[in-house]
Amino acid sequence: MPHTQQLLNRVQAMLDEPREATAPSLTAPGKGEARPTPGGQVGQVGAEAQEKEKQAVAERTKPHQDKAANGKAATEEAANEEAARMAQEMLQERGASQQGLVELGARAQQSLSGDPAILKRDGILDVYVVAHTHCDPGWLSTMEEYYRKDVKHILDTVVVALEKNPSRRFSWVEVSFLERWWRDQGESMRQRFRALVKSGQIELLMGGWVSSDEACTSYMQVVSQMSEGHRWLEREVVRDAKDRPRIGWQIDPFGLSRVYPSLFSQMCFDSHTAWRISEPEMKAYMPAHEVEFVWRGSESIGAASDILMHLLPWGYEAPQEFLFEANSGKKTMQSPKNGARMLANNFLDRSKSYESSNVLMWPWGHDFRFKDANVMFDSMDRLFAIINANPEEYGVRVRYATPSEYFDALHSEGISFPSKSKDFFPYWAGPVNWWTGYYTSRPTFKRRLRETDNLQKCAESAFVLARAQSGEGGDVEWDGMFDALEKLRHVQGVMQHHDAITGTMKEAVLTDYHNMLDGAVPPVHTVLAQSLAMLLDAQWAATPAHVAHDEEVEVGSAFALFNPLAWHSDRFFCVRVRSAAAVVVDAAGARPDQQLMPVWEEHGKVLSEPHAGVYRLYFRASLAPLGTHVFFTEAGEQEAEVSVYAPGMDGKARTGLQADGFLVRGAGDGPPEVSNGVVQVQHDEHGVMQAVVDLASGHVTRLRHSYWTWVGDPKWSNQYTFTNKGGPSQLVDYGTMRVVAGPFVQEVTGASSGIAVQTVRLFAGSGTPEVVDRVGPPPRGVEMVSRYDTDVVNGGHFFTDDNGLETVCRQLNTEDSRVKPCGNYYPSVYAAGLMERCDGEPRVVFAHDRPHGVTSLEEGQLEVMLHRSALQALGNGEAMIENYVAEMRSWLVFRPADIRERHRVAMQLNFEPRAVVWAGLSRSEWAEGGAASTSLALAAALPPNLFLMTLEQYERGSDQVTLRVNHLVPAPEQWSAPLNAPTPLHLHQLFASLEPEELEERTLSLTRRAESCERHHWHAQGEAPHEWMPGAMVAHHSEYVRETQLATVLLEPLHIRSFLTRLRPIRY
């Protein structure tokens, strides 16, 4: 994205400071980054730079000049000199006039090793110019603002420009914007657009609802937003299989996850294109011709997860001189022949980093470009004509193309490529520019999106079950309910954008995102409530309300809990009530295990003030897989004795708690033990956790907790980057402690420095303590972190999860002094932990309720970033100031049996039961109404390593259902055996009273039958020679499920199997 003047001022200030010599950055312009110079040189100016430019131009064109007639040599030399002069003049006009300036974050081309790069080829380079634009659905402006001022004009004028010349091409990515434009168009314009797609002039590139972030998104939401984009394209635009998206195009996210090649391969994609990997890696790849490589997404899936990766070392922006909407582009056209020379030189420069000797893909575009597509294409046509009139002179032939055309041409060459099987985190754009802060930025927004994931999964599943069991009859507004679900899918799709879930947008855009959620979420609450009411045949006039865990329920009400997971759920659910004389009962009047707890008002270091008249009521809810169970809140006396130890509590609070039936312990009594018979939490006199004990084995795991703060570098403390200035400081000003203990729930709480409070909570029968951190507001320019010092000898090894799917071992980097602590942070979506070696079993794991940045800087230590506030802005001109308290939950997993099932534990934390409440409806009224008290959906629970990922209606007005199941455990995790083994699933025996009909296996985004997917197979270096073969996808490993089969599928480790089916009541 274009840089702002504010950022340039900061960069200039940094350049003016004395610093150690550093190599100039390889990255090209993006958010807050400078742009490459026209002839391919870094922005050095002055006489020395001009001379180097002249030499470089001559060097670049020499192999091609030798092929031309000797009589043309003088003419070409003069043209090169004029092109160099023109390039320097344009650069100076843009204001980069300081002697020796190297713009941070900018690169077009430079000497990589001190030796001139020599072209390998003898022929003419065929250049595929890909016209494109990158449109963020919110960043500096809201999505709607961007649409009205930019996107509308882009699509309007592109259609006209392409119709003028059938040789022109254009590639479009963001389906969310295309759908918004589509709503404004009549059928005539829609048909014109479809015709351009059908003719191949417009390529639907990637086809997701957005270009999603790769660090903070879950794999489920990535699949969802891609599927929504593909589904919309199938419905509105695509009329031929060849027009479906088959190329990934993640050109702006801030680091690359290895889950994406795995997911894209399962969507039947051929290739993938991206930009942002760290500068040292890009520097190493370019001279080795490794910017194109076969990328293996998963060791568990193997070759079926391979895809060709094409990196863009110069970013996705074309040099400004060829973006003819800009003033610098107008300068180019004052001398088209010199412009053609500069363009050809740029082609030749870039080609030196790629393996192919014959073809080059050259992206032509940038953020929100082509608002006047006629000017852009008309100007470029003139340069193309000059070059193509004499390709021997310029050494190139050039044409408009789509990425698919380029990759098809590249594939036909039969080249062998290097292979890699890693992710590319963290992203490092310069010597002090580690993009690791956004893993944590805006934690409450990240949490809201995770909660919406849970609501979406509950409502989608309940809707499918209700519709399948109720049939098509009656007066139910099924289409209206589906519309509400679809709207939330689309809004959640926008939230996966790389400037949404990352928290890197401006405040006004953040407000707009919240408004979008506020509009989409309540109707889905209603869908969930109506669906559960139908499943229970609870046909009361009043529509029930929706509540989540730890929300208020009126005493004297009925409420139904729905379990969105395909496993049994036996855990404590929490509702808030406004009476100490309240109990929970089931339809028979039986009381499940339950316990009333005070709600506390936290004021800095004082942990002793209960919130008068409000209580947490925890009760054990045993729910069947995808099952619903009805409970009631009634007046009654609690039987569980609960003791409170809070030494700083005043007399009024003590009296109030005693009146509510709590046993208040005095300071002389000492705190009660925090133990549930399975696990014991050991703490110090401040209430700070020190160790956890597995009572069955007696094993003690040291786990000393502390809060720390990092102070960011004042120049690089922003929403994207975390760059520490010096070491961290521990928050040691402890406050009073508090222990609350009863037979079913125990908790210990300690506070630090008035801005950080941790509660560790145990539930009866559970071996995974719940850890609640309440932190903030963070001071400006400060990162707040939790540290856990353990007795694990990890040797710098720890793990995070790419998008919540792939477990990735990390190794602390202490060899490169430039890395610093901030460069050792990695993103974690669902879980992170410590291990003694990369092929060893994790010893301590934290499953968390939102994305975090995680590292291990000392032996046996796990550090989790919780909250942050910035001093500066990067790219958007607005500092991120987070002036609020954030509360977050984690589950601590440390017993070996639980660690083997840590993937399931993380899902149970993040996909909790949801409740709908009939306020004021008594148990007797429920019985008189004839409603059921339970609803069962599945015949049996899935194995702990299989996850029912998707159960949702496919399309409006259709009864087709999307069913996805995935294996959660990686094959290399031998310590998890047998959970890491292939596992069968009998689809026709999955549901209790429903059976799937017309079952059909599909690719991951559902656009193709699985058996019809044939991808390009890319030869990896060292691979045995063979004839052309189709690239595999996951389903190639087993028989496809067809509608005539009694469907039994074998889920291999980390595989996702996707189906379309219709669910019908079983006919006995």
Side-chain angles (χ1 to χ4, degrees):
M1 292 184 174
H3 58 276
T4 64
Q5 187 60 47
Q6 182 179 0
L7 178 62
L8 287 178
N9 292 340
R10 293 204 309 277
V11 171
Q12 186 60 58
M14 293 189 67
L15 291 169
D16 290 340
E17 292 181 1
R19 291 183 178 271
E20 295 180 3
T22 57
S25 171
L26 288 172
T27 53
K31 294 174 172 60
E33 297 170 74
R35 52 179 182 256
T37 54
Q41 294 296 315
V42 170
Q44 296 176 322
V45 299
E48 179 182 356
Q50 291 184 10
E51 184 59 32
K52 287 182 178 179
E53 171 66 14
K54 294 176 184 178
Q55 294 172 2
V57 169
E59 231 168 44
R60 287 192 296 270
T61 58
K62 185 177 184 301
H64 301 279
Q65 292 171 348
D66 292 342
K67 295 179 178 57
N70 292 335
K72 295 183 178 179
T75 302
E76 292 183 14
E77 183 176 358
N80 285 332
E81 290 179 356
E82 175 61 16
R85 183 201 64 75
M86 186 175 175
Q88 289 302 315
E89 179 182 322
M90 292 178 177
L91 179 62
Q92 291 171 355
E93 287 180 357
R94 290 206 300 270
S97 58
Q98 179 181 342
Q99 178 71 29
L101 173 64
V102 177
E103 295 176 327
L104 293 180
R107 171 180 168 79
Q109 170 67 25
Q110 67 183 31
S111 175
L112 297 167
S113 61
D115 298 323
I118 304 300
L119 294 176
K120 307 191 309 286
R121 64 188 65 80
D122 296 325
I124 294 173
L125 178 68
D126 286 314
V127 180
Y128 290 66
V129 172
V130 173
H132 76 103
T133 187
H134 177 70
C135 298
D136 296 297
W139 181 45
L140 305 180
S141 301
T142 68
M143 182 178 177
E144 183 64 18
E145 289 168 345
Y146 273 140
Y147 170 71
R148 293 187 178 278
K149 70 181 182 179
D150 295 313
V151 174
K152 179 182 186 302
H153 305 293
I154 294 170
L155 288 166
D156 285 348
T157 63
V158 161
V159 169
V160 174
L162 295 185
E163 289 176 334
K164 287 169 57 177
N165 184 343
S167 71
R168 293 173 176 175
R169 302 284 188 273
F170 193 78
S171 296
W172 185 264
V173 176
E174 297 86 0
V175 174
S176 55
F177 271 130
L178 181 59
E179 186 272 342
R180 176 64 185 87
W181 178 79
W182 203 257
R183 281 185 269 142
D184 284 350
Q185 308 310 309
E187 186 57 30
S188 175
M189 176 60 87
R190 293 179 178 183
Q191 289 289 11
R192 291 164 67 188
F193 189 89
R194 291 186 189 111
L196 291 169
V197 171
K198 185 175 180 63
S199 71
Q201 286 186 261
I202 290 180
E203 174 160 20
L204 301 169
L205 200 55
M206 193 159 70
W209 205 247
V210 296
S211 169
S212 58
D213 172 60
E214 300 202 15
C216 302
T217 50
S218 74
Y219 73 100
M220 285 176 280
Q221 280 298 341
V222 173
V223 171
S224 177
Q225 69 91 12
M226 289 292 296
S227 299
E228 278 304 291
H230 289 188
R231 184 175 64 89
W232 186 89
L233 291 173
E234 290 285 308
R235 184 178 70 207
E236 300 290 346
V237 181
V238 171
R239 297 296 180 262
D240 194 306
K242 68 178 179 58
D243 301 327
R244 290 170 177 150
R246 61 186 184 97
I247 307 295
W249 192 261
Q250 287 284 91
I251 57 175
D252 201 25
F254 328 125
L256 307 178
S257 163
R258 67 180 301 190
V259 166
Y260 275 69
S262 178
L263 299 181
F264 285 169
S265 68
Q266 296 176 64
M267 295 175 189
C268 206
F269 280 21
D270 284 319
S271 313
H272 185 28
T273 302
W275 165 26
R276 296 181 194 266
I277 70 169
S278 286
E279 182 172 325
E281 289 177 302
M282 193 74 87
K283 270 188 173 180
Y285 291 173
M286 292 175 72
H289 302 125
E290 293 188 357
V291 291
E292 284 179 324
F293 53 87
V294 176
W295 194 9
R296 177 155 296 180
S298 174
E299 296 302 328
S300 297
I301 297 175
S305 67
D306 288 354
I307 201 167
L308 184 76
M309 167 56 79
H310 176 101
L311 291 175
L312 302 171
W314 303 270
Y316 58 88
E317 178 189 20
Q320 292 289 312
E321 287 64 37
F322 307 111
L323 298 175
F324 301 106
E325 295 167 324
N327 289 331
S328 55
K330 295 177 181 178
K331 179 77 172 179
T332 303
M333 298 315 297
Q334 293 175 8
S335 178
K337 188 170 184 180
N338 289 332
R341 173 63 63 189
M342 285 196 300
L343 184 60
N345 288 347
N346 195 278
F347 295 156
L348 296 172
D349 275 344
R350 295 191 178 194
S351 71
K352 289 183 286 190
S353 295
Y354 293 96
E355 184 67 26
S356 172
S357 301
N358 303 313
V359 293
L360 171 72
M361 180 168 69
W362 193 82
W364 178 40
H366 195 28
D367 293 353
F368 298 101
R369 293 295 186 177
F370 288 85
K371 288 188 287 291
D372 191 342
N374 290 297
V375 168
M376 292 284 282
F377 280 107
D378 289 348
S379 300
M380 189 62 89
D381 284 351
R382 296 175 64 188
L383 302 187
F384 280 17
I386 293 170
I387 292 172
N388 289 335
N390 198 344
E392 292 81 8
E393 175 183 342
Y394 291 94
V396 301
R397 274 186 300 266
V398 60
R399 54 163 291 185
Y400 296 116
T402 63
S404 289
E405 290 175 315
Y406 166 75
F407 286 114
D408 287 345
L410 183 65
H411 185 262
S412 69
E413 293 196 0
I415 297 173
S416 292
F417 295 93
S419 58
K420 302 185 187 299
S421 57
K422 63 186 296 289
D423 66 6
F424 294 91
F425 291 117
Y427 172 56
W428 180 24
V432 294
N433 195 352
W434 290 98
W435 292 42
T436 55
Y438 78 93
Y439 304 157
T440 302
S441 293
R442 305 193 194 274
T444 57
F445 182 62
K446 285 177 164 63
R447 175 56 190 163
R448 184 176 189 187
L449 299 185
R450 187 67 61 83
E451 290 173 338
T452 308
D453 288 354
N454 186 16
L455 169 65
Q456 188 177 3
K457 186 171 182 61
C458 288
E460 295 273 14
S461 299
F463 175 76
V464 165
L465 296 173
R467 181 168 186 176
Q469 293 184 16
S470 301
E472 297 293 325
D475 56 357
V476 180
E477 292 290 336
W478 297 112
D479 285 349
M481 295 170 73
F482 177 83
D483 291 343
L485 294 170
E486 184 181 55
K487 181 178 179 180
L488 185 58
R489 292 181 197 176
H490 293 174
V491 170
Q492 273 290 81
V494 171
M495 299 306 140
Q496 310 314 307
H497 168 56
H498 55 264
D499 276 309
I501 192 172
T502 55
T504 52
M505 74 299 281
K506 295 185 78 168
E507 286 289 336
V509 179
L510 175 63
T511 298
D512 185 62
Y513 286 153
H514 279 297
N515 290 340
M516 292 169 71
L517 289 163
D518 289 343
V521 164
V524 174
H525 288 165
T526 302
V527 171
L528 176 60
Q530 292 175 331
S531 299
L532 294 188
M534 283 185 278
L535 287 172
L536 295 166
D537 196 24
Q539 302 302 320
W540 284 276
T543 300
H546 164 271
V547 296
H549 180 80
D550 200 18
E551 293 184 350
E552 186 172 338
V553 173
E554 178 184 327
V555 177
S557 300
F559 62 99
L561 274 182
F562 177 71
N563 174 18
L565 300 176
W567 305 306
H568 287 285
S569 176
D570 186 20
R571 55 182 294 184
F572 280 82
F573 191 81
C574 176
V575 295
R576 293 198 181 199
V577 293
R578 291 189 174 272
S579 171
V583 296
V584 170
V585 298
D586 64 15
R591 293 188 182 187
D593 294 343
Q594 58 192 278
Q595 180 176 321
L596 199 72
M597 300 279 279
V599 174
W600 300 89
E601 294 181 354
E602 316 290 12
H603 295 291
K605 296 182 291 179
V606 179
L607 301 179
S608 56
E609 297 185 23
H611 194 300
V614 180
Y615 310 88
R616 284 189 173 101
L617 179 50
Y618 289 94
F619 66 97
R620 187 188 296 277
S622 296
L623 305 176
L626 284 187
T628 309
H629 199 101
V630 178
F631 297 92
F632 302 86
T633 53
E634 298 181 348
E637 295 300 321
Q638 281 286 331
E639 298 174 356
E641 183 178 88
V642 179
S643 64
V644 177
Y645 174 79
M649 185 163 49
D650 62 26
K652 181 179 179 181
R654 178 186 297 271
T655 301
L657 285 176
Q658 289 172 335
D660 288 336
F662 296 103
L663 175 63
V664 181
R665 300 168 68 104
D669 299 328
E673 184 181 67
V674 182
S675 172
N676 64 357
V678 180
V679 171
Q680 181 187 25
V681 176
Q682 297 179 350
H683 55 84
D684 66 10
E685 68 275 16
H686 306 295
V688 178
M689 180 167 57
Q690 300 294 302
V692 287
V693 184
D694 180 355
L695 295 177
S697 66
H699 180 74
V700 179
T701 299
R702 184 170 69 89
L703 202 72
R704 188 174 66 248
H705 174 256
S706 55
Y707 288 113
W708 296 68
T709 60
W710 292 94
V711 176
D713 184 320
K715 293 184 175 65
W716 292 102
S717 170
N718 59 65
Q719 71 275 32
Y720 295 97
T721 68
F722 162 43
T723 303
N724 59 290
K725 185 175 183 180
S729 300
Q730 185 176 358
L731 301 180
V732 295
D733 187 9
Y734 296 109
T736 58
M737 70 175 295
R738 181 181 66 234
V739 178
V740 183
F744 305 115
V745 187
Q746 301 87 36
E747 63 182 32
V748 56
T749 303
S752 302
S753 299
I755 59 171
V757 178
Q758 183 175 89
T759 296
V760 182
R761 187 175 291 131
L762 295 180
F763 297 101
S766 173
T768 53
E770 181 176 88
V771 179
V772 179
D773 291 291
R774 192 172 186 272
V775 297
R780 292 280 306 276
V782 167
E783 278 79 13
M784 300 184 67
V785 305
S786 265
R787 283 186 169 179
Y788 297 92
D789 289 286
T790 77
D791 50 12
V792 179
V793 183
N794 69 319
H797 296 105
F798 62 106
F799 79 87
T800 61
D801 56 349
D802 272 3
N803 306 105
L805 183 62
E806 285 281 347
T807 300
V808 184
C809 180
R810 311 296 187 182
Q811 173 66 60
L812 178 68
N813 186 340
T814 59
E815 297 179 358
D816 190 339
S817 62
R818 300 171 298 174
V819 172
K820 302 179 181 180
C822 49
N824 276 298
Y825 259 86
Y826 292 88
S828 178
V829 172
Y830 285 141
L834 297 176
M835 52 179 55
E836 294 178 348
R837 61 183 192 276
C838 281
D839 60 351
E841 182 176 4
R843 291 282 308 282
V844 173
V845 177
F846 280 88
H848 29 247
D849 69 349
R850 73 202 70 192
H852 291 282
V854 177
T855 189
S856 176
L857 300 176
E858 303 289 343
E859 185 72 10
Q861 183 185 92
L862 187 71
E863 178 171 309
V864 181
M865 187 178 291
L866 303 176
H867 205 351
R868 61 192 306 266
S869 193
L871 287 172
Q872 305 292 342
L874 182 63
N876 69 10
E878 184 179 275
M880 181 188 71
I881 302 173
E882 296 286 88
N883 191 26
Y884 60 84
V885 175
E887 182 172 303
M888 52 210 69
R889 287 194 299 157
S890 301
W891 284 0
L892 168 60
V893 187
F894 72 100
R895 301 189 311 159
D898 295 323
I899 283 177
R900 283 192 287 274
E901 293 191 11
R902 71 182 191 279
H903 309 283
R904 180 168 73 161
V905 170
M907 294 303 182
Q908 290 171 325
L909 170 63
N910 284 282
F911 296 100
E912 298 180 300
R914 290 269 176 159
V916 296
V917 180
W918 288 266
L921 187 65
S922 69
R923 183 159 47 99
S924 60
E925 290 172 318
W926 184 277
E928 291 170 2
S933 60
T934 60
S935 174
L936 303 178
L938 297 189
L942 292 188
N945 58 346
L946 297 189
F947 179 57
L948 184 58
M949 176 177 161
T950 308
L951 182 64
E952 62 187 31
Q953 183 173 325
Y954 178 64
E955 184 60 274
R956 190 180 199 269
S958 167
D959 60 354
Q960 270 194 314
V961 170
T962 300
L963 176 67
R964 289 193 187 94
V965 184
N966 76 278
H967 194 298
L968 291 174
V969 183
E973 293 191 2
Q974 298 299 325
W975 58 86
S976 297
L979 298 180
N980 67 328
T983 304
L985 177 65
H986 307 288
L987 293 177
H988 278 97
Q989 301 172 18
L990 182 60
F991 296 94
S993 58
L994 300 171
E995 61 181 353
E997 293 182 354
E998 302 175 42
L999 191 66
E1000 178 181 288
E1001 184 157 13
R1002 310 287 286 193
T1003 56
L1004 184 57
S1005 62
L1006 308 173
T1007 57
R1008 298 171 172 86
R1009 288 177 177 262
E1011 64 265 32
S1012 70
C1013 171
E1014 289 193 347
R1015 307 188 297 123
H1016 285 330
H1017 172 78
W1018 301 95
H1019 293 267
Q1021 293 172 359
E1023 184 181 20
H1026 55 76
E1027 297 297 324
W1028 182 89
M1029 56 180 285
M1033 60 168 286
V1034 166
H1036 278 76
H1037 287 276
S1038 61
E1039 288 295 319
Y1040 299 114
V1041 174
R1042 299 177 178 86
E1043 56 194 65
T1044 57
Q1045 294 177 321
L1046 182 62
T1048 299
V1049 299
L1050 189 67
L1051 271 295
E1052 297 188 32
L1054 291 193
H1055 287 197
I1056 304 174
R1057 304 291 290 271
S1058 304
F1059 307 92
L1060 288 180
T1061 188
R1062 289 176 168 83
L1063 296 179
R1064 303 281 190 254
I1066 295 176
R1067 301 175 182 87
Y1068 295 100

Short mmCIF file of all heavy atoms in Angstrom, two decimals, residues 395-413:
data_model
loop_
_atom_site.label_atom_id
_atom_site.label_comp_id
_atom_site.label_asym_id
_atom_site.label_seq_id
_atom_site.Cartn_x
_atom_site.Cartn_y
_atom_site.Cartn_z
N GLY A 395 15.20 -7.53 -26.77
CA GLY A 395 15.42 -8.80 -26.09
C GLY A 395 14.18 -9.41 -25.50
O GLY A 395 14.25 -10.40 -24.77
N VAL A 396 13.02 -8.83 -25.78
CA VAL A 396 11.78 -9.33 -25.19
C VAL A 396 10.65 -9.25 -26.21
O VAL A 396 10.68 -8.45 -27.15
CB VAL A 396 11.37 -8.54 -23.92
CG1 VAL A 396 12.45 -8.60 -22.86
CG2 VAL A 396 11.04 -7.10 -24.25
N ARG A 397 9.65 -10.11 -26.00
CA ARG A 397 8.33 -9.97 -26.59
C ARG A 397 7.36 -9.83 -25.43
O ARG A 397 7.55 -10.45 -24.39
CB ARG A 397 7.94 -11.20 -27.42
CG ARG A 397 8.41 -11.20 -28.86
CD ARG A 397 7.84 -12.40 -29.61
NE ARG A 397 8.27 -13.64 -29.00
CZ ARG A 397 9.36 -14.33 -29.39
NH1 ARG A 397 10.10 -13.88 -30.40
NH2 ARG A 397 9.69 -15.44 -28.78
N VAL A 398 6.32 -9.05 -25.60
CA VAL A 398 5.45 -8.75 -24.47
C VAL A 398 4.00 -8.89 -24.90
O VAL A 398 3.63 -8.57 -26.03
CB VAL A 398 5.75 -7.34 -23.91
CG1 VAL A 398 5.53 -6.26 -24.97
CG2 VAL A 398 4.93 -7.06 -22.66
N ARG A 399 3.18 -9.35 -23.98
CA ARG A 399 1.75 -9.53 -24.23
C ARG A 399 1.01 -9.39 -22.92
O ARG A 399 1.56 -9.58 -21.82
CB ARG A 399 1.47 -10.92 -24.82
CG ARG A 399 2.03 -12.07 -24.00
CD ARG A 399 1.43 -13.41 -24.35
NE ARG A 399 0.02 -13.48 -23.96
CZ ARG A 399 -0.72 -14.57 -24.07
NH1 ARG A 399 -0.19 -15.68 -24.54
NH2 ARG A 399 -1.99 -14.57 -23.69
N TYR A 400 -0.27 -9.03 -23.02
CA TYR A 400 -1.14 -9.08 -21.85
C TYR A 400 -1.48 -10.55 -21.58
O TYR A 400 -1.65 -11.34 -22.50
CB TYR A 400 -2.43 -8.31 -22.09
CG TYR A 400 -2.24 -6.83 -22.30
CD1 TYR A 400 -2.57 -6.24 -23.52
CD2 TYR A 400 -1.75 -6.01 -21.29
CE1 TYR A 400 -2.42 -4.88 -23.73
CE2 TYR A 400 -1.59 -4.65 -21.49
CZ TYR A 400 -1.91 -4.08 -22.72
OH TYR A 400 -1.76 -2.74 -22.91
N ALA A 401 -1.58 -10.89 -20.30
CA ALA A 401 -1.85 -12.28 -19.95
C ALA A 401 -2.52 -12.35 -18.59
O ALA A 401 -2.55 -11.36 -17.83
CB ALA A 401 -0.57 -13.10 -19.95
N THR A 402 -3.02 -13.50 -18.28
CA THR A 402 -3.50 -13.80 -16.93
C THR A 402 -2.47 -14.71 -16.26
O THR A 402 -1.66 -15.36 -16.93
CB THR A 402 -4.85 -14.51 -16.98
OG1 THR A 402 -4.69 -15.77 -17.65
CG2 THR A 402 -5.89 -13.66 -17.69
N PRO A 403 -2.48 -14.79 -14.95
CA PRO A 403 -1.56 -15.72 -14.29
C PRO A 403 -1.71 -17.16 -14.78
O PRO A 403 -0.71 -17.87 -14.90
CB PRO A 403 -1.93 -15.57 -12.81
CG PRO A 403 -2.40 -14.18 -12.69
CD PRO A 403 -3.17 -13.93 -13.97
N SER A 404 -2.92 -17.60 -15.07
CA SER A 404 -3.09 -18.96 -15.56
C SER A 404 -2.35 -19.18 -16.86
O SER A 404 -1.74 -20.24 -17.08
CB SER A 404 -4.58 -19.27 -15.76
OG SER A 404 -5.23 -19.40 -14.52
N GLU A 405 -2.38 -18.19 -17.74
CA GLU A 405 -1.66 -18.32 -19.01
C GLU A 405 -0.16 -18.41 -18.77
O GLU A 405 0.54 -19.20 -19.42
CB GLU A 405 -2.01 -17.14 -19.92
CG GLU A 405 -3.43 -17.17 -20.43
CD GLU A 405 -3.81 -15.94 -21.22
OE1 GLU A 405 -3.50 -14.81 -20.76
OE2 GLU A 405 -4.42 -16.08 -22.30
N TYR A 406 0.34 -17.63 -17.84
CA TYR A 406 1.77 -17.72 -17.53
C TYR A 406 2.12 -19.09 -16.97
O TYR A 406 3.09 -19.73 -17.42
CB TYR A 406 2.16 -16.64 -16.52
CG TYR A 406 3.52 -16.90 -15.91
CD1 TYR A 406 4.69 -16.67 -16.64
CD2 TYR A 406 3.64 -17.42 -14.62
CE1 TYR A 406 5.94 -16.94 -16.09
CE2 TYR A 406 4.88 -17.68 -14.07
CZ TYR A 406 6.03 -17.44 -14.81
OH TYR A 406 7.26 -17.72 -14.27
N PHE A 407 1.36 -19.57 -15.99
CA PHE A 407 1.71 -20.84 -15.36
C PHE A 407 1.54 -22.01 -16.33
O PHE A 407 2.30 -22.98 -16.26
CB PHE A 407 0.91 -21.05 -14.09
CG PHE A 407 1.36 -20.20 -12.94
CD1 PHE A 407 0.55 -19.20 -12.43
CD2 PHE A 407 2.62 -20.37 -12.39
CE1 PHE A 407 0.97 -18.40 -11.37
CE2 PHE A 407 3.06 -19.57 -11.34
CZ PHE A 407 2.23 -18.59 -10.83
N ASP A 408 0.58 -21.92 -17.23
CA ASP A 408 0.46 -22.96 -18.25
C ASP A 408 1.70 -22.98 -19.15
O ASP A 408 2.21 -24.04 -19.49
CB ASP A 408 -0.79 -22.73 -19.10
CG ASP A 408 -2.07 -23.05 -18.35
OD1 ASP A 408 -1.99 -23.71 -17.29
OD2 ASP A 408 -3.15 -22.62 -18.82
N ALA A 409 2.17 -21.79 -19.54
CA ALA A 409 3.36 -21.71 -20.37
C ALA A 409 4.59 -22.23 -19.62
O ALA A 409 5.42 -22.95 -20.18
CB ALA A 409 3.59 -20.27 -20.83
N LEU A 410 4.69 -21.86 -18.35
CA LEU A 410 5.82 -22.32 -17.54
C LEU A 410 5.78 -23.84 -17.38
O LEU A 410 6.82 -24.51 -17.47
CB LEU A 410 5.77 -21.64 -16.17
CG LEU A 410 6.91 -21.94 -15.21
CD1 LEU A 410 8.24 -21.42 -15.74
CD2 LEU A 410 6.62 -21.33 -13.83
N HIS A 411 4.61 -24.37 -17.15
CA HIS A 411 4.48 -25.82 -16.98
C HIS A 411 4.90 -26.56 -18.24
O HIS A 411 5.49 -27.65 -18.16
CB HIS A 411 3.03 -26.16 -16.61
CG HIS A 411 2.81 -27.60 -16.30
ND1 HIS A 411 2.31 -28.49 -17.22
CD2 HIS A 411 3.03 -28.31 -15.18
CE1 HIS A 411 2.23 -29.69 -16.67
NE2 HIS A 411 2.65 -29.61 -15.43
N SER A 412 4.62 -25.99 -19.38
CA SER A 412 4.95 -26.66 -20.64
C SER A 412 6.44 -26.78 -20.86
O SER A 412 6.88 -27.59 -21.69
CB SER A 412 4.31 -25.91 -21.82
OG SER A 412 4.94 -24.65 -22.00
N GLU A 413 7.23 -26.01 -20.13
CA GLU A 413 8.68 -26.08 -20.30
C GLU A 413 9.30 -27.29 -19.62
O GLU A 413 10.46 -27.63 -19.89
CB GLU A 413 9.34 -24.80 -19.75
CG GLU A 413 9.00 -23.56 -20.55
CD GLU A 413 9.94 -22.41 -20.25
OE1 GLU A 413 10.84 -22.59 -19.40
OE2 GLU A 413 9.78 -21.36 -20.86
#
